[in-house]
Each structure stands twice: as structure tokens, then as C-alpha cells.
């Protein structure tokens, strides 16, 4: 446990992802999503390979007995990446970030459907409350039809789709962490996005018009790669249930970067809706922590000793490294 390092890495990861989003927003759809995704994955490999190589974690990173599970996790990432870039090219950063906060709530739904985890009334109520926040954020677009251009409508749809793919990716990561290393999960995902995005080359890639655009495309990848590393490192020093609420610092970075670089001021609906969604998400996280501690208290000492010796807990809904929804 090192709380200072854990929180520092976690907040740094949200900042890097926000910087990545701001750079995508700056390009404003000047380049196809597939091309942006390719640069993001290619340049993300630079910090990923350097850091994991320095730690000696590259050996065996591409060795796996679960290629199909990596493929499914990669599909979620591919769709999420394309949706992220398509949304950020069309709607303000703060709006996109606030809608993305719904992904922990979607994870609860997916955990109940696909992992067969028991989700009781408390968490279902939090999910319903959180989605009320999403509806609140979308209210200005529904009320002011003149402001809802076709481009913005598409952007909102992509943002919502990204929230669902993020929830699906979380479930798949929870499955993979039982047997796979962090380096394996990150590298497989990055390489798959790189490959799929390269396949879009015949569909309208553009030669960057200036060196500034080249630098921004590279910066998107480097910021994304650093964000992944900081995100992973934060969990080396503190439990996931402690760190999860710090994900919501992303909204602060989104507000600041959106205002400083694009003059985007979030509406009151977005601010209040984001607070509602974040509150629901934090409640779910705290509830997970409470249930995890309760299971630990209710487990007999002999069973804990057996699990510590390497046997799997038959009552555990997911692996030891994963959280219960």
C-alpha cells in the first residue's frame, strides 16, 4: 500500500486520457477514425514497450492459452476506440466524458447477465439513478432541436455506444485477469486495434497536411499509452475499490481542457447529470467494497487458509483480482 503513489498514478492516468481526447477534439474529424486509431495504437506501443521491457514483463507477453478471450476483449476495444474518436470529433469533451461515466453502471448490468453475479436492489437502484443522470445530460439536445445537428446526434450515439463497450471490456478484463498478465492484456489489445485500424487504409486515409498534425497524431498515441501505464501502475499500490472514485477526476480535466482550448462551457444539465452519474457509480463501487469485506468476514478461517495455499474459492463470483459487481 502506497496511497500517495496510487492516487498520483490514477489521477495522472485520467489526465493523460483527457489530453488524448483534447487532441482528438482538436483534429475535429480532419482524419478518418481508422487513421487516428492507427496512430494512437502505433505510438502507444512506444511507452508500453519501454516500460514493460524495463520491468522485464515482455517475456511471454504474447504467449496465451486464451486467444479467443483476448479477441473478444479486443473487439470491445476496437469498437470503443472508433466510437471515442468519432464522438469527440462531434460533441464537446465534457459531454463525452460525462456520458462515459455510465460505463461502471453498464458493467453491473453485464455482470448480472453474463457472469451470473447476484445484483440486489441497492445496486439496481443505483443503476436506475445513474441512467436518470444520463437522460438529464441529454435533455438540452432533446429540448432544443435546432442545437441538435445531425453531426451532434451521431456524436451522442457514438458516446453512448462507447459507454457500453467500456462496460463490456471491463467484464472481459475481469475474466482475463484470472490467468493473464497485465502486459499480455494491454499488448494484445493494442496490437489488435493497430491491425484492425490498418485495414481501413483503403477507405480514405489522408496524408497529414502539416507537421503539427503529425505531432498531434503521435501525441494521441503517446498520451493514450502513458494513460494505460499510469492506470495499471495505480493498482499496484492500492485496491481497485479505493482508487475507482478517482476516475471521476476526468470530468475536471474535461472541463478545463474544453474551456481553455475550445471555449466549451458545459451546460448546467451536463454538470448536474455528471454529478448524478458519478454519485451512482461511487455508490456501486462502495457497495462492491462492502460486499467484498462481508464475504471475507463470513469466510471461515480454514477456508481462507486453503485459498491462500492456492486453491480457488468455489463461492467467489469472479477471480481474486476482480471486483464483484
Amino acid at each position: 500500500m502506497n496511497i500517495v503513489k496510487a492516487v498520483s498514478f490514477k489521477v495522472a492516468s485520467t489526465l493523460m486520457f483527457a489530453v488524448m481526447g483534447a487532441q482528438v477534439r482538436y483534429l475535429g474529424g480532419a482524419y478518418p477514425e481508422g487513421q487516428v486509431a492507427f496512430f494512437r495504437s502505433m505510438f502507444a506501443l512506444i511507452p508500453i514497450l519501454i516500460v514493460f521491457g524495463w520491468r522485464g514483463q515482455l517475456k511471454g507477453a504474447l504467449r496465451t492459452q486464451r486467444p479467443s478471450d483476448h479477441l473478444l476483449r479486443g473487439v470491445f476495444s476496437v469498437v470503443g476506440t472508433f466510437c471515442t474518436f468519432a464522438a469527440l470529433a462531434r460533441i464537446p469533451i465534457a459531454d463525452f466524458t460525462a456520458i462515459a461515466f455510465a460505463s461502471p453502471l453498464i458493467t453491473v448490468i453485464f455482470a448480472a447477465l453474463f457472469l451470473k453475479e447476484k445484483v440486489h436492489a441497492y445496486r439496481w437502484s443505483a443503476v436506475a439513478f445513474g441512467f436518470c443522470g444520463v437522460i438529464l445530460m441529454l435533455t438540452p439536445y432533446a429540448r432544443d432541436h435546432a442545437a441538435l445537428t445531425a453531426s451532434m446526434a451521431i456524436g451522442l450515439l457514438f458516446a453512448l455506444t462507447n459507454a457500453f463497450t467500456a462496460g463490456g471490456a471491463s467484464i472481459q478484463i475481469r475474466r482475463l485477469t484470472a490467468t493473464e498478465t497485465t502486459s499480455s492484456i494491454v499488448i494484445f489489445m493494442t496490437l489488435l486495434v493497430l491491425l484492425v485500424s490498418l485495414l481501413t487504409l483503403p477507405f480514405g486515409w489522408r496524408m497529414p497536411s502539416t507537421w503539427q498534425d503529425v505531432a498531434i497524431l503521435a501525441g494521441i498515441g503517446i498520451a493514450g499509452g502513458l494513460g494505460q501505464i499510469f492506470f495499471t501502475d495505480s493498482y499496484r499500490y492500492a485496491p481497485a475499490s479505493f482508487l475507482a472514485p478517482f476516475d471521476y477526476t476526468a470530468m475536471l480535466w474535461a472541463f478545463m481542457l474544453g474551456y481553455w482550448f475550445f471555449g466549451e462551457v458545459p451546460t448546467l444539465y451536463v454538470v448536474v447529470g455528471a454529478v448524478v452519474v458519478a454519485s451512482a457509480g461511487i455508490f456501486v463501487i462502495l457497495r462492491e467494497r462492502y460486499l467484498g469485506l462481508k464475504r471475507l468476514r463470513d469466510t471461515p478461517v480454514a477456508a481462507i487458509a486453503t485459498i491462500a495455499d492456492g486453491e480457488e474459492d468455489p463461492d467467489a463470483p469472479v477471480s481474486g483480482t476482480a471486483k464483484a459487481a
Side-chain angles (χ1 to χ4, degrees), residues 11 16 19 59 72 84 100 206 210 245 255 272 310:
V11 173
M16 286 297 100
V19 169
K59 185 178 180 181
L72 180 57
T84 295
R206 291 184 52 204
T210 65
F255 284 164
V272 175

Side-chain angles (χ1 to χ4, degrees), residues 304-313:
I304 295 175
T306 300
I307 295 168
D309 288 336
E311 295 184 18
E312 186 176 347
D313 179 5

Side-chain angles (χ1 to χ4, degrees), residues 44-291:
L45 283 173
I46 296 175
I48 288 172
L49 294 177
I50 289 174
V51 172
F52 285 137
W54 176 64
R55 293 176 181 167
Q57 296 175 348
L58 289 179
K59 185 178 180 181
L62 297 180
R63 195 177 304 147
T64 180
Q65 296 180 346
R66 302 174 64 183
S68 59
D69 287 332
H70 279 287
L71 179 61
L72 180 57
R73 188 266 188 270
V75 169
F76 282 122
S77 296
V78 168
V79 176
T81 299
F82 277 72
C83 287
T84 295
F85 296 158
L88 284 169
R90 294 170 172 85
I91 61 175
I93 299 175
D95 292 37
F96 170 80
T97 304
I99 292 172
F101 284 169
S103 62
L105 308 176
I106 295 168
T107 301
V108 173
I109 299 174
F110 285 172
L113 293 176
F114 302 115
L115 297 184
K116 306 303 180 184
E117 294 180 2
K118 292 182 179 180
V119 179
H120 298 292
Y122 287 111
R123 279 174 288 168
W124 283 127
S125 299
V127 170
F129 183 66
F131 278 111
C132 287
V134 175
I135 294 172
L136 182 62
M137 286 185 278
L138 299 178
T139 299
Y141 297 103
R143 292 178 60 184
D144 189 356
H145 297 287
L148 183 61
T149 64
S151 178
M152 294 185 76
I154 293 172
L156 291 170
L157 180 61
F158 278 126
L160 288 169
T161 305
N162 170 69
F164 276 90
T165 59
S170 297
I171 292 297
Q172 195 60 16
I173 290 172
R174 287 163 66 164
R175 288 174 167 170
L176 285 168
T177 50
T179 59
E180 306 296 288
T181 63
T182 299
S183 59
S184 175
I185 295 171
V186 170
I187 291 174
F188 267 112
M189 181 272 293
T190 305
L191 290 177
L192 185 61
V193 176
L194 182 71
L195 176 61
V196 173
S197 59
L198 182 60
L199 296 178
T200 67
L201 177 60
F203 301 100
W205 280 27
R206 291 184 52 204
M207 182 67 67
S209 55
T210 65
W211 284 108
Q212 182 182 14
D213 284 1
V214 174
I216 292 173
L217 288 167
I220 290 170
I222 292 172
L226 288 173
Q228 285 182 318
I229 293 168
F230 290 149
F231 178 86
T232 304
D233 276 349
S234 65
Y235 291 101
R236 297 173 62 197
Y237 298 105
S241 56
F242 170 80
L243 286 173
F246 291 96
D247 279 327
Y248 297 102
T249 57
M251 201 66 199
L252 298 177
W253 306 129
F255 284 164
M256 290 190 290
L257 292 174
Y259 179 74
W260 286 342
F261 293 106
F262 311 108
E264 297 172 350
V265 179
T267 66
L268 181 61
Y269 288 96
V270 170
V271 174
V272 175
V275 171
V276 170
V277 176
S279 300
I282 291 173
F283 175 83
V284 167
I285 293 161
L286 294 177
R287 183 69 179 169
E288 289 173 359
R289 180 176 177 82
Y290 166 77
L291 292 175

